[in-house]
Amino acid sequence: MSNFIVDNNGIKRYLVTINVNGIEYTKVVKANTLLVNFLREELDLTGTKKGCELGDCGSCTVLLEGKPVNSCLILAIEADGMKVTTIEGVASTANLDNIQEKFLEYGAIQCGYCSAGMILSAKALLTENPKPTEEEVRAGISGNLCRCTGYINIIKAIMAASGQEVMN
Amino acid sequence: MEGIRYPKENTLYKKKEYTQIGQSKPRIDGVSKATGAGKYCGDLKFPNMLYGKMLTSPHAHAKILSIDTSAAEKIPGVIKVITHKDVPSLKYGISPARWDENVLCIDKVRFVGDKVAAVACVDEETCYKALKAIKVEYEVLPAVLNYRTAMNEDMPQIHDEYPRNINTEIHQLFGDVDKALEEAYHVRTDVFEGQRTYQCPIEPHSAISIWKDNKLTVYSSTQSVHYFQYYIAREFGLKMGDVRVIRPLVGGGFGGKLEPTGLEFNGAVLSKLTGRPVKMFYDRAEMFAHNRGRHQGHYEITTGVTKEGKILAAKANFVLDGGAYTSLGIATAYYAGGLLPLTYDFENYQFDLMRMYTNLPACGAQRGHGAPQPKYAFESHLDNVARDLGIDPIEIRKRNARQPNTNTCNGMGIQSCHLTEALEKIETITDWKAKKEKGLPKGRGIGMATGSFVTGAGYPIYRNDYPSSSCMVRVNEDGTSATLYANAIDIGQGSDTVLCQMTAEAMGYRYENMKIVTGDTETAPLDFGAYSSRQTAYCGWACKRAGEEIKAKILETAGFMMHLPPEDLECEEGIIFSKSRPKVEPITFEEAAKKYFIIKGPLVGTGVYTVPRLGGYHKGAPVATSPSYSFCTQAAEVQVDEETGEVDVIHAWDVHDAGQIINPALMKGQVHGAFGMGISETIMEEVVFNKDGKIINPDVGGYRIITALDMPDFTNDLIPSNDEPATPWGLKEIGEGSNNPTMGAVRNAIYDAIGVNVASLPLSYEKVWRAIKEKKEKEQAAK
């Protein structure tokens, strides 16, 4: 368990160090601080979206040690000492990541609110399974809800990002 | 100029083809959304900002006896607590005929979720502590939870002004329905039920209000900065010019973000009283409670047809559950029957409707506004009629299909219409005839339906003389970019992108050099915003006109520079050339624009569009009028598991008469999204209440919407045309007509698969399973 101090109201505050997009941040958080709020409020990384705060919609998907998680279901203290990748860190250079490029090329983005979570789920999928079938792609993003696109162009974009031929 | 290659010989004079429209240009906001850099309202923070939440009613119908905020006010970090005593008592709404909602409830609450008090605190967590500490004493009243019995004499009255809980009553009659039904070869009546659904955009509503120096600035997740500005100014007695409404990126709306909510009104009061910016927001459950989603309804349809299936008369008798307030429901009610005569041509039509108040969340405008459920009923009914007569479903629709340059019986004028071609094409691409002749495997079925929708509402929501859309274009001093200032609202559909394409096309410029300033009442001129699929046409006209003004100005300057008359010059993709003298060296838009600025100052073009007067003179005639209408056909092939009732949509087809396509990729995206929402509503979605009127599934776990696993393979097809004179370049709407046929097409496919009529939405696995079971039991009993 992380180090903690007790504030004037008797509430414990924990010292956590979380590596976000390659940078280590050490912050004082409450026990109930969610990872999504840690990212958005403490670090101003607002690319991670809040859609339901119940783990239903997938908008807040980030990679925790490379695995996609709903950051609204993870406490900041649970991520202490771990590596987190958010949409702001998905591209390792100033250029866009291949998945982001394909999302733009295939019209996979409309309102954009689910896009960050979608792209991170796709990233996790393609890292583990570089040549997924269409069914595997559908399953891989089935935890990310999109209300705009009907998913078709998102599926095409991910297939294209895996280097597979896609009818557009 | 660097980067511009001059053609040695002028080969640019050719038959005019579009260079900026008709192409899948990348979204102008794409990179900011793909990288997470783009800011939505909930992402914004201001120095010294407070967080606000509302306390809502736990009862469906109750008198408020007292509110005690003293304990909440003592909690550290609670800055302000307000009740109805602190807010204007002026009732608001969005349909001006029925302003029936208070910023905070005064004497009673009318649904679970109605607004009772609001707090502003230093952080979100403190807000929840404050809400818990507010003590409200209620006297619980009997509630009206069933819209079908809401008008009964013994039912409690929800609003003093509306006896028997009737919110809207419509009786329209065109032609002689009784006579036509008497003369008909076959008359049939069917009844269908629709369910309550919710838009469920992935981005929750939020608003940040900053009241400073008697001026109010509101950042909001909104579909219309103008209506927000108008209604917020009205509520607080402010001049419109002192209310600034700004929309950051919007994460989907689908109709649910068209009207201001308690977030804007209470946030404004809290900001005024604290002198600090106040951010207010709904969580997912609060979104469901605020609602304004699709009305559930009871739809009785009668038609009389000839032996050949020609419709002689139609009767629509509907009841809608409006919920506790009007919202946009009056328009919904008129749309419900107003749009039905679009796709099929009949002379005699009777439309009766009651929209009822109930103690449930208010319903409003959801994608396809008022039309999808009635259309589902009509398309299901028409398949039943075709079966009675032994006519193929596509054939009966061909025999009744709307033709170009005709009027509907209820006063709508249609110019371009390619519905017949769309019917022929869907027959071909689905291999319809072969599937019907040879039959499909067990449990498999195919169905289709037609659709249509307004390309923009003919009249604004509140009565005013303003033009429908306006915009301004300013070219940068050195000509290397141009900025479009327009308050059409991009809620994800891509309006910013297509408007920049259209502006660039009209200017003779390049989309890639366009910028847009939008969603801000202080920097861009008036537009009513994103609803009724209006922006591409209406703001498109404004953009075309502003672009043409720029082009005329620049060609005049170029004429001086090139020593040629401006009439002989043309500008395409930023190159200005002589139409008659191929050897004259072209110059660039940049050069001419820079010269213009040096001589005359800012190079600006403005554009405006006002819808001409449309429609008949009967009561409610304005609703469903439009300068132009889209048409489409959709088909779905389904596999029904007869053991479980599970419906799997295997493949779907859409053939669209959408006129000139501005951006094919965005167009397809609209059709996919609308169809996806359509099958989701057909098969799974339903807001469900307990016996006390409380929503039991106010989350996307319990309220199921389709995932990537549920979306079928999809074929987009088009009837290409640009013969619509009422719109710029002959375009038509795409975003809402695309879910007009979906429910009917899927229902008809399910009927085709299992031969049973499930007459209520959603066609859930359970209902389908029960219907199959009943059918089997009947067959057993008959043996």
Side-chain angles (χ1 to χ4, degrees):
Chain A
M1 183 53 84
S2 331
N3 292 326
F4 65 85
I5 51 170
V6 180
D7 71 13
N8 292 341
N9 299 317
I11 294 170
K12 283 180 187 169
R13 309 271 174 165
Y14 295 84
L15 191 68
V16 296
T17 300
I18 304 176
N19 182 316
V20 181
N21 302 328
I23 300 169
E24 294 219 327
Y25 296 91
T26 300
K27 297 273 177 185
V28 175
V29 300
K30 291 204 274 186
N32 64 357
T33 300
L34 300 172
L35 179 58
V36 63
N37 289 340
F38 175 84
L39 296 169
R40 289 173 55 84
E41 304 295 329
E42 298 289 325
L43 306 185
D44 279 333
L45 294 172
T46 57
T48 303
K49 301 300 179 205
K50 288 207 278 190
C52 70
E53 300 176 76
L54 292 166
D56 291 329
C57 76
S59 306
C60 66
T61 303
V62 298
L63 304 184
L64 187 64
E65 297 292 334
K67 297 268 185 267
V69 295
N70 289 316
S71 59
C72 71
L73 297 183
I74 306 267
L75 297 169
I77 52 172
E78 289 180 281
D80 188 17
M82 297 174 94
K83 276 189 190 147
V84 173
T85 305
T86 72
I87 189 66
E88 289 90 348
V90 80
S92 50
T93 65
N95 297 328
L96 296 181
D97 183 83
N98 181 35
I99 298 172
Q100 291 170 314
E101 294 275 9
K102 296 300 178 203
F103 266 61
L104 295 176
E105 192 183 329
Y106 283 82
I109 296 175
Q110 289 191 26
C111 86
Y113 206 77
C114 75
S115 302
M118 247 346 145
I119 288 166
L120 285 159
S121 285
K123 184 88 185 163
L125 173 72
L126 297 188
T127 305
E128 201 173 294
N129 181 1
K131 291 269 182 264
T133 63
E134 191 190 305
E135 268 316 294
E136 287 168 338
V137 170
R138 284 174 184 262
I141 57 166
S142 61
N144 296 80
L145 297 178
C146 169
R147 195 60 160 160
C148 297
T149 65
Y151 304 100
I152 292 173
N153 290 347
I154 295 174
I155 296 162
K156 284 182 181 172
I158 298 170
M159 291 298 282
S162 72
Q164 304 185 74
E165 215 169 304
V166 181
M167 294 275 288
N168 197 17
Chain B
M1 184 170 286
E2 211 177 30
I4 301 291
R5 265 178 294 150
Y6 294 97
K8 279 212 176 67
E9 191 155 317
N10 184 351
T11 54
L12 288 168
Y13 185 52
K14 55 184 187 295
K15 191 172 171 291
K16 183 84 184 162
E17 276 174 17
Y18 301 129
T19 59
Q20 308 302 311
I21 63 169
Q23 300 183 40
S24 296
K25 298 283 187 187
R27 289 184 73 98
I28 202 160
D29 53 6
V31 173
S32 77
K33 287 174 171 176
T35 56
K39 296 285 186 190
Y40 299 75
C41 190
D43 299 335
L44 300 178
K45 258 189 202 174
F46 291 87
N48 215 20
M49 186 173 84
L50 297 171
Y51 294 77
K53 289 297 282 185
M54 282 182 283
L55 179 73
T56 59
S57 160
H59 306 295
H61 199 194
K63 272 190 192 156
I64 300 172
L65 301 178
S66 67
I67 306 175
D68 179 1
T69 60
S70 56
E73 281 158 8
K74 288 189 193 114
I75 297 171
V78 176
I79 308 298
K80 191 75 203 168
V81 183
I82 57 171
T83 68
H84 67 88
K85 288 176 186 145
D86 306 291
V87 303
S89 58
L90 181 69
K91 286 189 176 175
Y92 72 89
I94 181 97
S95 294
R98 306 271 190 289
W99 283 322
D100 56 8
E101 203 161 352
N102 278 112
V103 174
L104 290 171
C105 294
I106 298 170
D107 50 350
K108 67 174 186 174
V109 291
R110 295 180 173 85
F111 72 99
V112 178
D114 216 350
K115 309 177 289 292
V116 175
V119 299
C121 307
V122 291
D123 58 26
E124 189 181 346
E125 199 174 334
T126 309
C127 289
Y128 299 120
K129 286 181 191 159
L131 294 181
K132 270 193 181 167
I134 299 172
K135 292 184 188 74
V136 186
E137 210 185 331
Y138 294 100
E139 178 192 328
V140 178
L141 301 169
V144 181
L145 301 177
N146 182 345
Y147 72 104
R148 299 290 309 286
T149 54
M151 73 182 81
N152 290 0
E153 297 283 355
D154 59 340
M155 277 290 148
Q157 192 168 323
I158 298 168
H159 291 266
D160 291 343
E161 304 85 343
Y162 299 100
R164 298 184 66 199
N165 299 317
I166 298 168
N167 169 268
T168 308
E169 188 171 350
I170 302 172
H171 302 289
Q172 294 181 344
L173 182 63
F174 307 96
D176 192 337
V177 172
D178 291 339
K179 182 165 169 274
L181 289 179
E182 235 166 70
E183 290 168 1
Y185 168 78
H186 178 62
V187 177
R188 182 183 168 108
T189 299
D190 283 303
V191 176
F192 298 90
E193 300 273 347
Q195 84 281 40
R196 263 180 181 258
T197 61
Y198 173 56
Q199 290 95 349
C200 214
I202 307 297
E203 181 212 18
H205 303 242
S206 69
I208 299 169
S209 301
I210 307 169
W211 195 316
K212 205 178 164 195
D213 305 330
N214 298 318
K215 290 194 175 68
L216 174 60
T217 301
V218 180
Y219 293 79
S220 180
S221 177
T222 172
Q223 294 179 219
S224 169
V225 289
H226 175 77
Y227 287 133
F228 275 48
Q229 182 190 31
Y230 173 78
Y231 280 108
I232 291 168
R234 176 187 168 274
E235 188 65 27
F236 296 112
L238 291 168
K239 288 180 279 186
M240 264 174 65
D242 287 340
V243 176
R244 180 181 188 182
V245 178
I246 300 171
R247 71 129 189 118
L249 291 179
V250 178
F254 315 107
K257 293 175 178 170
L258 186 57
E259 57 192 280
T261 70
L263 302 178
E264 285 81 19
F265 293 123
N266 284 289
V269 173
L270 288 167
S271 178
K272 187 182 184 185
L273 295 177
T274 60
R276 295 166 70 169
V278 176
K279 178 195 265 190
M280 296 194 72
F281 45 94
Y282 286 141
D283 63 23
R284 184 59 52 179
E286 290 165 339
M287 290 169 76
F288 271 89
H290 170 68
N291 204 266
R292 324 285 151 155
R294 198 175 306 293
H295 293 62
Q296 69 177 331
H298 178 84
Y299 308 102
E300 183 188 288
I301 306 253
T302 301
T303 58
V305 295
T306 66
K307 199 174 179 181
E308 293 74 33
K310 179 83 193 73
I311 302 168
L312 298 174
K315 256 172 132 168
N317 188 9
F318 299 163
V319 188
L320 297 182
D321 174 6
Y325 296 105
T326 300
S327 179
L328 271 162
I330 298 175
T332 316
Y334 280 99
Y335 269 122
L339 289 170
L340 279 180
L342 273 179
T343 44
Y344 305 119
D345 188 17
F346 45 83
E347 291 299 308
N348 306 295
Y349 180 44
Q350 184 177 340
F351 167 41
D352 298 288
L353 182 144
M354 299 286 234
R355 181 184 189 268
M356 305 308 301
Y357 277 121
T358 58
N359 290 117
L360 296 172
C363 298
Q366 184 169 335
R367 194 176 207 159
H369 199 179
Q373 289 189 1
K375 187 65 170 163
Y376 144 79
F378 201 93
E379 291 292 318
S380 304
H381 168 78
L382 195 55
D383 256 36
N384 291 349
V385 171
R387 197 172 310 105
D388 292 346
L389 298 175
I391 301 174
D392 177 81
I394 294 184
E395 185 55 35
I396 198 169
R397 287 169 172 84
K398 282 183 189 165
R399 290 177 190 174
N400 289 288
R402 168 72 44 204
Q403 297 302 313
N405 302 311
T406 54
N407 290 312
T408 66
C409 57
N410 58 345
M412 286 177 278
I414 286 100
Q415 299 188 76
S416 168
C417 171
H418 300 275
L419 182 59
T420 300
E421 292 110 295
L423 284 161
E424 285 161 0
K425 197 157 201 174
I426 201 100
E427 191 168 30
T428 313
I429 64 172
T430 56
D431 205 8
W432 181 271
K433 278 183 181 159
K435 284 174 185 170
K436 287 287 171 191
E437 276 162 24
K438 288 182 208 144
L440 288 162
K442 190 170 159 52
R444 182 77 66 101
I446 186 166
M448 61 82 57
T450 66
S452 179
F453 202 69
V454 298
T455 305
Y459 292 79
I461 292 175
Y462 73 95
R463 197 166 293 177
N464 64 63
D465 298 330
Y466 293 123
S468 312
S469 283
S470 63
C471 77
M472 189 167 75
V473 179
R474 186 180 68 84
V475 179
N476 191 53
E477 289 69 37
D478 68 350
T480 54
S481 71
T483 307
L484 170 65
Y485 298 79
N487 270 332
I489 301 298
D490 197 326
I491 55 175
Q493 79 286 54
S495 58
D496 286 358
T497 303
V498 294
L499 294 174
C500 284
Q501 284 182 264
M502 289 191 279
T503 306
E505 183 71 48
M507 287 168 67
Y509 201 48
R510 290 177 298 268
Y511 165 75
E512 290 73 15
N513 298 48
M514 292 297 302
K515 317 255 186 272
I516 184 163
V517 170
T518 173
D520 180 354
T521 54
E522 205 153 296
T523 53
L526 186 148
D527 192 294
F528 294 131
Y531 66 99
S532 77
S533 293
R534 57 188 292 288
Q535 296 189 142
T536 312
Y538 292 9
C539 199
W541 269 129
C543 291
K544 185 168 189 282
R545 288 165 182 172
E548 285 166 353
E549 185 184 334
I550 300 253
K551 190 181 192 174
K553 286 177 173 173
I554 207 143
L555 291 185
E556 198 187 331
T557 305
F560 283 109
M561 295 167 75
M562 297 166 80
H563 308 289
L564 287 170
E567 309 84 73
D568 183 41
L569 299 178
E570 181 54 278
C571 183
E572 268 180 28
E573 291 184 88
I575 307 285
I576 300 167
F577 56 92
S578 164
K579 291 190 276 193
S580 67
R581 297 167 177 81
K583 293 201 169 142
V584 172
E585 178 141 316
I587 66 168
T588 64
F589 184 97
E590 284 84 348
E591 289 169 304
K594 188 173 176 185
K595 184 69 80 184
Y596 183 99
F597 181 72
I598 290 166
I599 301 167
K600 295 191 170 176
L603 174 49
V604 173
T606 62
V608 70
Y609 173 69
T610 305
V611 183
R613 203 214 161 272
L614 297 167
Y617 291 89
H618 56 278
K619 187 166 184 248
V623 181
T625 57
S626 177
S628 134
Y629 297 88
S630 70
F631 293 90
C632 67
T633 52
Q634 271 176 11
E637 193 165 327
V638 301
Q639 179 72 44
V640 181
D641 185 327
E642 299 204 14
E643 295 300 316
T644 62
E646 187 174 349
V647 176
D648 187 8
V649 183
I650 312 256
H651 198 101
W653 297 262
D654 176 274
V655 179
H656 238 91
D657 165 20
Q660 170 68 43
I661 306 302
I662 306 300
N663 185 313
L666 291 177
M667 184 279 295
K668 284 183 193 169
Q670 284 301 299
V671 177
H672 297 161
F675 183 86
M677 200 175 227
I679 58 163
S680 195
E681 286 187 54
T682 315
I683 297 173
M684 15 180 118
E685 295 182 26
E686 184 169 22
V687 181
V688 186
F689 297 88
N690 70 6
K691 62 173 178 38
D692 300 319
K694 187 172 188 287
I695 304 176
I696 61 172
N697 59 345
D699 54 71
V700 281
Y703 182 87
R704 287 185 60 210
I705 65 176
I706 58 160
T707 72
L709 290 166
D710 305 305
M711 185 68 185
D713 289 333
F714 199 87
T715 304
N716 291 92
D717 214 326
L718 282 174
I719 305 297
S721 81
N722 58 3
D723 60 351
E724 175 56 66
T727 58
W729 293 284
L731 63 83
K732 297 180 187 180
E733 78 84 34
I734 191 74
E736 295 188 85
S738 308
N739 82 343
N740 195 239
T742 310
M743 296 172 191
V746 175
R747 177 271 176 197
N748 290 339
I750 293 172
Y751 191 104
D752 190 51
I754 54 171
V756 290
N757 179 27
V758 184
S760 80
L761 292 169
L763 308 172
S764 62
Y765 303 167
E766 182 186 337
K767 284 188 206 162
V768 172
W769 177 80
R770 285 187 191 284
I772 294 168
K773 187 164 165 266
E774 269 174 38
K775 184 188 168 204
K776 280 183 183 162
E777 282 166 1
K778 265 188 203 158
E779 283 167 0
Q780 287 290 335
K783 271 180 193 169

